[in-house]
Amino acid sequence: MKLLGVAVRTEQGIEQRVHPTMVPKDTAIAQVMGVTNAVTVDADAMAPITLVGPGAGGAATASAVVSDIGDIARGVRAAPFGRPSARLSTSRKAPMQRHEGGYYIRLLAVDKPGTAATIAKRLAQQHISLESIVQRRRDDRPHGGDVPGRSGEPVPVILITYATTEDAVRKALAAVSRDKVISSKPQVIRIEKN
């Protein structure tokens, strides 16, 4: 899990988002730990490049402050983006619901017949396809005790979706909540596959 800030140029405009995200373990971003920051640039003309360096923290912040004081003392005024703001072009902001990607969804589902079918139906209505679904038995249920599907107690259900839109996920989960087959607010985390 990493906190990502993402900016992508799309046909609808610039999509900007910041959120916790699951990333593949073998990516450069997954190896960044502690107060270290990383920036990955992925452009058409080149393979992705990841730059890693110190982020917030004592030495890194002190170095930046001393550098800024030195620039002020020397009278150096540099534009923050390498050119004056009046010469920067403006871009349209893409609506957030257009983001497409995989999602990790954790539900506390009521353990009774028809619950999984109701959840699947609501996802299908939004054209959401599942990569995997796992239902866990609650540890506090006595083994050999209640028959699954008869207790009515909530059990964790974990869904991993294929690429879909955030808007579709929100609509499907709102419908699942209205159906009263889950006992709490769903937990949703985006998954970056690349």
Side-chain angles (χ1 to χ4, degrees):
M1 293 256 322
K2 296 295 175 185
L3 179 63
L4 295 186
V6 179
V8 179
R9 184 183 305 270
T10 68
E11 290 182 14
Q12 293 81 25
I14 302 293
E15 179 186 303
Q16 304 167 68
R17 50 194 166 88
V18 176
H19 49 76
T21 307
M22 292 182 172
V23 297
K25 287 182 181 181
D26 60 351
T27 61
I29 292 288
Q31 308 311 311
V32 176
M33 302 295 176
V35 296
T36 305
N37 288 343
V39 175
T40 298
V41 179
D42 189 357
D44 292 338
M46 61 186 190
I49 296 174
T50 300
L51 307 169
V52 179
T61 302
S63 172
V65 169
V66 169
S67 175
D68 289 346
I69 291 170
D71 286 346
I72 292 168
R74 289 180 293 148
V76 174
R77 285 184 54 189
F81 296 106
R83 66 174 73 173
S85 59
R87 290 184 45 213
L88 295 175
S89 62
T90 57
S91 297
R92 234 177 355 170
K93 183 177 177 183
M96 191 56 221
Q97 64 267 21
R98 298 296 307 162
H99 168 68
E100 287 193 22
Y103 288 83
Y104 166 96
I105 303 167
R106 184 179 185 277
L107 308 170
L108 275 180
V110 178
D111 191 12
K112 65 180 185 179
T115 294
T118 300
I119 294 168
K121 174 183 162 187
R122 295 303 187 184
L123 294 171
Q125 287 172 339
Q126 295 300 322
H127 307 287
I128 297 171
S129 182
L130 293 176
E131 184 175 325
S132 70
I133 180 170
V134 176
Q135 178 177 331
R136 298 278 183 209
R137 184 177 189 157
R138 287 186 66 96
D139 291 336
D140 58 349
R141 180 188 295 172
H143 296 287
D146 295 326
V147 176
R150 302 258 169 107
S151 69
E153 291 291 317
V155 292
V157 175
I158 297 166
L159 311 168
I160 306 291
T161 74
Y162 284 109
T164 187
T165 64
E166 181 171 346
D167 190 43
V169 170
R170 289 184 187 276
K171 286 178 180 175
L173 294 178
V176 168
S177 294
R178 286 191 303 272
D179 291 333
K180 302 197 184 313
V181 293
I182 58 175
S183 64
S184 63
K185 184 177 178 182
Q187 298 171 340
V188 179
I189 300 173
R190 290 180 185 88
I191 300 172
E192 290 289 328
K193 304 252 179 173
N194 49 8

